[in-house]
């Protein structure tokens, strides 16, 4: 009987929290809200250490996943159109093999979970994109990621970018390779159609023109090209660095570094970041005008 | 309207590494700078990898690091975004030019401090490619300030054994400034003390684009295959190839703005970021040492190492 009372009380408490949250979000969304929030989910391992969860190498990461689910829910409820997460850096492959394996297993489990109806992605109609150097991942993960992208391709809700086997420098190298490959094809075509005398000079000029790579050429070959640039980058655990995440895309964005560990991130941190955004936005607007 | 409130990030101000100026018009009294003590072991404390402090032939100052700083974890390369000159002037009812001049004085002091602390490279974001959009009068004033500054400081650069490198799209600068830059770089290229990298008409994104263009020409000429392009190749073509230490360990941005603003994009991949509330002309020894202490307390894991 007492147990039933407790369960009811908990249920009412959650319902009340939900209503309060939606009320806060209603007010926030009357002002300026960011289009895209990027997350560096730092602090899972320190969280596991803090709570003596060393028996399970992936314990911190499991707790981190729950925090991620909450954050994505809040972003959806607030009306944020796009979120990106630094799920797995290429640098993380340098960690202990046990930990890397646990993270990969957890990732596969969670990606397969995205396909289920009750997953947060399906619930909120989010379209999922996996971005990174996918050749570095095992085939089961690549296949699962592809399936998840296809399954959510028609979703018109939030865009969720999951960066796996990703670093910004690798992304830029890849973009430059692709730009050069494309220009190389263009040059070879121009070479193939060389004519004589006066016309040769025109074609050589075309070759020179085609050889000049512009900013837009590089941008369109970035892994993150379909995403708008992040407005806010939230990195938890109080570390103030980018760790090779979206260096190109975050060069003007608001950098927010709450001291809390990722599994402990809460609604108040998101609200704080969103409240600080309007002042930053006026700077971004000025930049766009200049461009 | 709720959203017209300007809220400072309390997560930053609650951290001991940040000063919060509750009223920007009243600058908090600065404590006297920590005094550097003489020590017979001093030259070992300050020396870095190659053992050189002030360069061959120059007298080594017998000082040790200020209390709380450790030699072994001093940053080799510090980058500065010197923000807040105009706000500093506006707060005092002075013309914008006075803010920039005060900024130059602050820079001079920090350069001197870096020399004393044995920092190898200091890069400063003097003028971004976006700054060309500022009012013409202001841009001309700044260009004039660069020219005058470079000309006037030549003597002390040589005396202090400082090497100057200028990065950025110099094609937009006046012919006289371009030539002065070349002469200054040439005159100081053998100096082996602090390397001062001045970014003028610079953009981190453009740095990558120009590196890419150079690589594309090599591809066109058949010197490399596109699939052989790697991070090392790009690093060699970035404008920071003028230094042995192209990646800043620490980036300091003043005036409380929490962004990078297109400075050294590729190079900042693992850089520790420190956001100081002070406006640039007010950023002095105390604030710089605070930033260094905060840097030394950080754990740098590069995505891999256990903590």
């Amino acid at each position: 009987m007492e147990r039933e009372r407790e369960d009811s009380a908990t249920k009412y408490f959650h319902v009340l929290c939900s209503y309060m949250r939606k009320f806060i979000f209603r007010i926030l969304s009357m002002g300026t809200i960011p289009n895209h929030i990027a997350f560096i989910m730092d602090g899972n391992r320190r969280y596991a250490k803090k709570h003596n969860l060393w028996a399970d190498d992936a314990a911190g990461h499991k707790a981190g996943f729950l925090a991620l689910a909450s954050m994505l829910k809040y972003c959806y409820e607030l009306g944020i159109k796009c979120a990106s997460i630094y799920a797995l850096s290429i640098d993380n492959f340098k960690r202990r093999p046990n930990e890397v394996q646990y993270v990969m297993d957890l990732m596969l489990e969670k990606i397969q979970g995205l396909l289920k109806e009750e997953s947060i992605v399906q619930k909120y109609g989010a379209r999922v994109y996996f971005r990174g150097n996918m050749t570095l991942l095992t085939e089961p993960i690549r296949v699962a990621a592809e399936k998840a992208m296809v399954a959510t391709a028609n979703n018109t809700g939030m865009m969720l970018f999951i960066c796996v086997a990703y670093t910004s420098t690798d992304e830029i190298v890849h973009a430059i390779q692709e730009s050069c490959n494309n220009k190389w094809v263009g040059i070879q075509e121009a070479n193939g159609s060389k004519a004589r005398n006066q016309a040769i000079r025109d074609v050589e000029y075309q070759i020179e023109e085609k050889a000049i790579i512009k900013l837009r050429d590089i941008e369109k070959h970035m892994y993150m090209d379909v995403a708008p640039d992040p407005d806010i980058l939230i990195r938890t655990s109080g570390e103030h660095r980018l760790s090779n995440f979206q260096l190109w895309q975050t060069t003007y964005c608001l950098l927010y570094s709450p001291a809390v560990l990722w599994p402990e991130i809460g609604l108040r941190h998101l609200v704080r970041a969103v409240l600080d955004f309007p002042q930053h936005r006026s700077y971004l607007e000025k930049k766009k005008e200049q461009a | 309207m709720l959203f017209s409130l300007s809220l400072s990030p309390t997560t930053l101000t609650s951290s001991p590494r940040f000063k919060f100026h509750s009223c920007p018009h009243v600058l908090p009294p600065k404590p006297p700078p920590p005094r550097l003590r003489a020590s017979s072991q001093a030259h070992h404390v300050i020396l870095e990898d190659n053992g050189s402090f002030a360069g061959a032939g120059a007298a080594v100052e017998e000082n040790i690091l200020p209390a709380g700083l450790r030699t072994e974890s001093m940053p080799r390369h510090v980058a500065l975004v010197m923000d807040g000159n105009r706000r500093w002037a506006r707060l005092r009812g002075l013309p914008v030019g006075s803010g920039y001049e005060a900024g130059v004085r602050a820079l001079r002091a920090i350069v001197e401090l870096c020399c004393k602390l044995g920092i190898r490279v200091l890069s400063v974001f003097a003028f971004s490619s976006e700054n060309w959009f500022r009012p013409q009068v202001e841009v001309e004033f700044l260009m004039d300030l660069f020219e005058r500054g470079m000309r006037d400081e030549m003597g002390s650069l040589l005396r202090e054994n400082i090497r100057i490198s200028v990065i950025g799209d110099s094609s937009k600068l006046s012919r006289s400034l371009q030539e002065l830059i070349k002469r200054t770089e040439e005159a100081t290229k053998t100096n082996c003390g602090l390397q001062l990298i001045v970014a003028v008409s610079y953009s981190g994104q453009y740095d990558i684009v120009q590196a890419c263009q150079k690589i594309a020409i090599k591809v066109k000429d058949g010197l490399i295959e596109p699939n052989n392009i790697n991070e090392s190749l790009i690093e060699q073509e970035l404008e920071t190839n003028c230094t042995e230490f192209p990646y800043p360990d620490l980036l300091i941005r003043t005036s409380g703005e929490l962004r990078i603003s297109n400075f050294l994009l590729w190079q900042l991949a693992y850089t520790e970021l420190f956001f100081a509330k002070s406006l640039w002309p007010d950023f002095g020894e105390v604030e710089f040492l605070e930033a260094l202490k905060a840097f030394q307390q950080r754990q740098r894991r590069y995505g891999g190492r256990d903590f």
Side-chain angles (χ1 to χ4, degrees), chain B residues 64-78:
Chain B
I64 61 165
L65 293 180
L69 285 179
R70 303 184 307 274
T71 324
E72 67 275 11
S73 41
M74 283 295 279
R76 279 192 305 203
H77 179 167
V78 176

Side-chain angles (χ1 to χ4, degrees), chain A residues 68-139:
Chain A
L68 172 61
S70 298
M71 276 295 125
L72 293 179
K73 179 170 80 173
Y74 300 152
C75 285
Y76 169 78
E77 288 177 356
L78 186 50
I80 310 265
K81 295 196 182 66
C82 181
S84 51
I85 60 173
Y86 203 6
L88 185 74
S89 162
I90 295 174
D91 295 326
N92 295 155
F93 287 115
K94 293 185 283 193
R95 292 184 178 180
R96 284 179 296 131
N98 273 355
E99 190 193 334
V100 175
Q101 188 56 51
Y102 278 121
V103 170
M104 293 294 207
D105 292 342
L106 183 69
M107 198 182 305
L108 180 59
E109 180 195 320
K110 296 304 176 191
I111 294 174
Q112 287 166 340
L114 291 177
L115 297 167
K116 296 187 184 142
E117 256 184 54
E118 63 275 16
S119 76
I120 43 164
V121 154
Q122 300 292 35
K123 207 168 144 193
Y124 303 129
R127 182 170 176 180
V128 174
Y129 300 82
F130 285 89
R131 288 292 185 264
N133 194 338
M134 305 297 275
T135 60
L136 297 176
L137 299 169
T138 58
E139 202 186 326

Side-chain angles (χ1 to χ4, degrees), chain A residues 27-28 30-32 42 45-46 49 54 91-92 94-96 99 167 169-170 172-173 176-177 179-181 184 187 207-208 211-215 218-219 235 237-244 247-248 250-259 272 275-276 278-280 283 287 290-291, chain B residues 1-3 5-12 17-18 86 130 133-134 204-206 208-209 211-213 215-217 219-222 226-231 234 253 257-263 265-275 298-307:
Chain A
I27 297 199
L28 282 178
M30 284 161 61
T32 314
D42 196 14
R45 295 182 295 168
R46 274 167 283 172
K49 187 179 180 187
W54 284 123
D91 295 326
N92 295 155
K94 293 185 283 193
R95 292 184 178 180
R96 284 179 296 131
E99 190 193 334
T167 58
T169 45
D170 182 72
I172 292 168
V173 166
I176 292 177
Q177 282 174 346
S179 307
C180 286
N181 269 325
W184 181 249
I187 288 161
I207 292 170
E208 288 302 318
I212 296 171
I213 292 189
K214 300 183 178 54
L215 189 137
I218 297 175
E219 275 189 330
R235 183 193 182 124
S237 86
E239 304 287 7
H240 300 265
R241 52 180 180 258
L242 300 169
S243 294
N244 216 336
L247 301 172
W248 181 280
T250 59
T251 194
Y252 294 109
C253 99
L254 174 63
L255 306 175
Y256 182 64
S257 307
R272 178 89 251 177
L275 282 174
D276 283 340
Q279 192 181 4
H280 181 80
Y283 163 79
K287 281 272 154 284
Q290 284 169 359
Chain B
M1 177 71 182
L2 182 68
F3 303 100
L5 291 175
S6 171
L7 296 169
S8 55
T10 56
T11 51
L12 296 175
R17 55 184 75 139
F18 295 102
R86 294 186 298 172
E130 281 87 19
F133 296 107
R134 288 194 177 168
Q205 286 181 344
Y206 185 71
I208 292 172
V209 170
C212 177
Q213 286 170 345
I215 290 170
I217 289 171
V219 167
K220 181 174 82 77
D221 293 341
N227 293 333
N228 290 340
I229 297 169
N230 58 24
E231 293 188 16
I234 293 169
R253 182 182 183 131
E257 300 294 341
L258 306 175
R259 53 180 179 260
I260 308 295
S261 297
N262 213 351
F263 184 43
L265 191 153
W266 173 284
Q267 298 87 335
L268 293 182
Y270 300 100
T271 303
E272 295 293 330
L273 310 174
F274 183 88
F275 297 104
R298 298 203 187 166
Q299 282 188 327
R300 305 182 79 186
R301 294 182 293 278
Y302 301 93
R305 295 204 300 260
D306 288 336
F307 50 92

